[in-house]
Amino acid sequence: MKVIDHIKNSTDTRFSFEILPPLKGMSIQSIYDGIDPLMEFKPPFINVTYHREEHVYKERNDGLLQKVSVRKRPGTVGICAAIMNKYHVDAVPHIICGGFNKEETENALIDLQFLGIENILALRGDPIKNETHFIANKAGHKYAVNLIDQVVEMNNGNFLHEETGNSAATDFCIGAAGYPEKHFESMNLKTDLKHLKEKIDAGAEFIVTQMFFDNQKYFDFVKSCRETGINVPIIPGLKPITTLKHISFLPKFFHIDFPEELSNELEKCTSNAEAKEVGIEWGIKQSKELVDYGAPLLHYYTMGKGASVKKIASEIF
Ligand code: FAD
């Protein structure tokens, strides 16, 4: 079923979550071990992230360094199929522009169609780790909106090559990313909203937000979206803090702020266990408020650490 239909068919706020493919070499069981404890909260769908290649340097026999392209977390499409097969819920793969040309994107989407996957989250993707800015594949897409255009073309039965006959149109429900605290490359929130509206006008039917820790930022974002004419469901993304490292890592990596009340509590923590406890308490507080607000769905970023999400969800769903 499509994400928007799951939302339309629900009267209450629903629970969903995002998982990462395991590091190359790990088994699918590690994915099931992360999902199993969360299935009691009846997620209508599970998102699976996509990870592009990284460049690493390996020393050759002659002592020189060789640049090698490595994909550390492959398997997004296979994991989606495995999830649907095992749990009978929808899987939402993330599809990115980075590292793909249009042909490869089309092939990936055809695979998804054949697997019965009805939803995708269309993203640009971040720059490769050692690049200062995002560089699009020469025959690929520069922005998520261009990827959305391609999916919409396929939904209309238009594939890349004219010789494609008898095209069986795809029927993907497309989601896009939104940033309550603005995307880090954007000049300001208004410009970012303008580009978000372009994604919706192109055919995206729902938005999933970047994580935020201050609900007021989400409320303001929804209000600004509505004022800009963005009327699709806006699914809040939530991430429980689970380690002391998150205190500096999350603001740095995701370009988000912690509200003062939370940072005051985190400053008192001296161990990972204490930080995790604060993260759970904050997650419960945030979730309760978002349910009262009437958020369509709460979407948790597990990042391989589902235990805190389970504790939060136990108090909410
Ligand atoms: P875009 O919508 O293309 O926007 C990127 C920037 O360009 C923004 O600053 C925007 O304002 C600007 N912009 C957009 N259109 C134009 C235009 N026409 N002209 C000028 N500027 C423009 N990354 C992954 O690699 N894999 C994942 O699985 C993944 N999952 C994610 C899930 C969620 C819910 C979110 C919020 C992010 C996720 N990301 C993922 C990270 C995402 O790829 C990065 O944040 C990326 O930098 C931007 O992606 P986007 O789709 O928002 O890009």
Side-chain angles (χ1 to χ4, degrees):
M1 197 192 280
K2 294 184 173 173
V3 166
I4 43 160
D5 292 325
H6 281 299
I7 292 173
K8 273 185 208 146
N9 294 343
S10 311
T11 44
D12 298 330
T13 304
R14 303 284 304 269
F15 165 84
S16 73
F17 61 98
E18 174 191 288
I19 58 164
L20 275 62
L23 286 167
K24 189 159 69 176
M26 286 175 74
S27 82
I28 187 82
Q29 190 56 45
S30 64
I31 287 291
Y32 299 151
D33 291 344
I35 294 177
D36 285 343
L38 299 177
M39 288 314 290
E40 65 176 282
F41 308 112
K42 300 192 171 32
F45 58 85
I46 298 170
N47 280 43
V48 185
T49 55
Y50 198 98
H51 298 261
R52 68 176 299 181
E53 75 282 11
E54 288 176 29
H55 292 156
V56 295
Y57 289 89
K58 297 208 165 159
E59 194 173 337
R60 299 189 323 196
N61 287 340
D62 61 5
L64 294 175
L65 293 177
Q66 184 180 8
K67 192 172 163 188
V68 184
S69 184
V70 180
R71 198 177 290 279
K72 290 189 177 166
R73 293 183 184 271
T76 300
V77 174
I79 292 170
C80 285
I83 287 175
M84 287 169 59
N85 188 38
K86 183 169 164 69
Y87 299 102
H88 307 289
V89 295
D90 285 302
V92 183
H94 294 189
I95 299 292
I96 60 172
C97 306
F100 289 94
N101 64 36
K102 291 174 198 161
E103 184 103 41
E104 290 161 339
T105 298
E106 185 177 85
N107 291 340
L109 290 163
I110 289 171
D111 281 344
L112 297 180
Q113 180 193 28
F114 289 164
L115 286 167
I117 290 171
E118 293 181 71
N119 304 281
I120 61 153
L121 191 67
L123 302 142
R124 187 195 70 179
D126 279 324
I128 296 187
K129 265 190 186 148
N130 39 12
E131 280 175 355
T132 53
H133 61 284
F134 179 81
I135 301 170
N137 183 301
K138 268 192 192 141
H141 299 301
K142 194 170 175 195
Y143 296 112
V145 67
N146 310 127
L147 170 60
I148 294 169
D149 285 339
Q150 184 178 4
V151 184
V152 168
E153 279 297 316
M154 290 177 69
N155 280 352
N156 290 329
N158 301 321
F159 290 70
L160 283 177
H161 301 294
E162 284 164 10
E163 67 271 19
T164 313
N166 302 322
S167 303
T170 57
D171 188 20
F172 291 110
C173 173
I174 308 164
Y179 302 82
E181 297 176 60
K182 138 182 142 51
H183 183 260
F184 68 101
E185 291 166 24
S186 237
M187 291 186 284
N188 53 45
L189 194 53
K190 198 165 178 201
T191 323
D192 207 24
L193 278 175
K194 187 182 90 178
H195 295 309
L196 179 57
K197 172 113 181 358
E198 284 162 4
K199 294 194 274 191
I200 306 307
D201 291 345
E205 295 180 85
F206 65 96
I207 293 168
V208 184
T209 77
Q210 181 58 280
M211 67 180 71
F212 57 88
F213 291 86
D214 181 350
N215 282 347
Q216 194 54 48
K217 299 246 168 85
Y218 170 78
F219 302 147
D220 292 345
F221 178 68
V222 174
K223 188 165 172 279
S224 303
C225 283
R226 301 309 180 221
E227 285 166 2
T228 314
I230 297 171
N231 294 310
V232 300
I234 302 176
I235 299 171
L238 300 169
K239 161 88 190 102
I241 291 161
T242 54
T243 63
L244 284 174
K245 216 173 105 190
H246 278 161
I247 296 174
S248 55
F249 174 78
L250 296 179
K252 181 177 169 212
F253 193 81
F254 294 101
H255 308 273
I256 42 129
D257 280 349
F258 291 152
E260 205 179 325
E261 194 187 336
L262 174 60
S263 62
N264 287 343
E265 288 306 309
L266 290 169
E267 268 174 350
K268 292 181 209 153
C269 297
T270 55
S271 66
N272 285 335
E274 283 173 11
K276 187 173 175 183
E277 209 39 53
V278 169
I280 291 168
E281 287 305 316
W282 192 262
I284 293 171
K285 183 177 140 87
Q286 253 198 299
S287 302
K288 281 187 175 159
E289 206 177 48
L290 287 162
V291 169
D292 291 345
Y293 173 82
L297 211 133
L298 305 188
H299 188 68
Y300 294 89
Y301 299 116
T302 62
M303 287 181 168
K305 302 254 166 32
S308 292
V309 172
K310 184 176 168 72
K311 285 202 169 158
I312 294 167
S314 308
E315 296 290 322
I316 310 292
F317 298 97

